Amino acid sequence: MEKLTIALAAGFGALARYALTALPAGDALTLVAINAVGCLLIGAKPSPAWWSTGFLGGFTSFSTYMLISFTDRSALYLFASAIICVAAWFAGDAIRRRTC
């Protein structure tokens, strides 16, 4: 049952990401924001699995990030996005540690 819950949550996360990127202003920076928010939330609340692995796993998108980096041939986008997302995860983890 847990695997089904995680899979459903991942589907909802992917739908949320798609809805945000389908907005008129949805571009590569929108994906950076989505991934940064997802990383922050995973750092802040890593469990239960349906939330982190499921919803936030579907919400964030490493594959799309890599595709944009490749098609735009932008090393700046590739590295800046990675740095922003790792920093966001550390910030979320720091928030979680303060509240526990």
Side-chain angles (χ1 to χ4, degrees):
M1 185 65 175
E2 182 183 28
K3 291 177 185 177
L4 179 61
T5 304
I6 292 169
L8 287 171
F12 283 116
L15 286 171
R17 175 179 24 102
Y18 176 76
L20 290 172
T21 57
L23 294 172
D27 59 3
L29 292 179
T30 302
L31 187 62
V32 172
I34 288 168
N35 287 337
V37 167
C39 289
L40 176 78
L41 294 174
I42 289 171
K45 186 162 176 43
S47 60
W50 67 264
W51 169 249
S52 58
T53 303
F55 183 83
L56 293 174
F59 183 65
T60 58
S61 177
F62 186 74
S63 57
T64 305
Y65 153 69
M66 293 307 295
L67 178 64
I68 290 172
S69 297
F70 178 75
T71 56
D72 291 349
R73 292 186 171 89
S74 175
L76 175 63
Y77 178 81
L78 180 73
F79 292 111
S81 185
I83 290 167
I84 289 167
C85 290
V86 170
W89 183 88
F90 276 115
D93 186 58
I95 291 167
R96 180 180 55 84
R97 289 175 188 263
R98 278 188 171 172
T99 60
C100 290

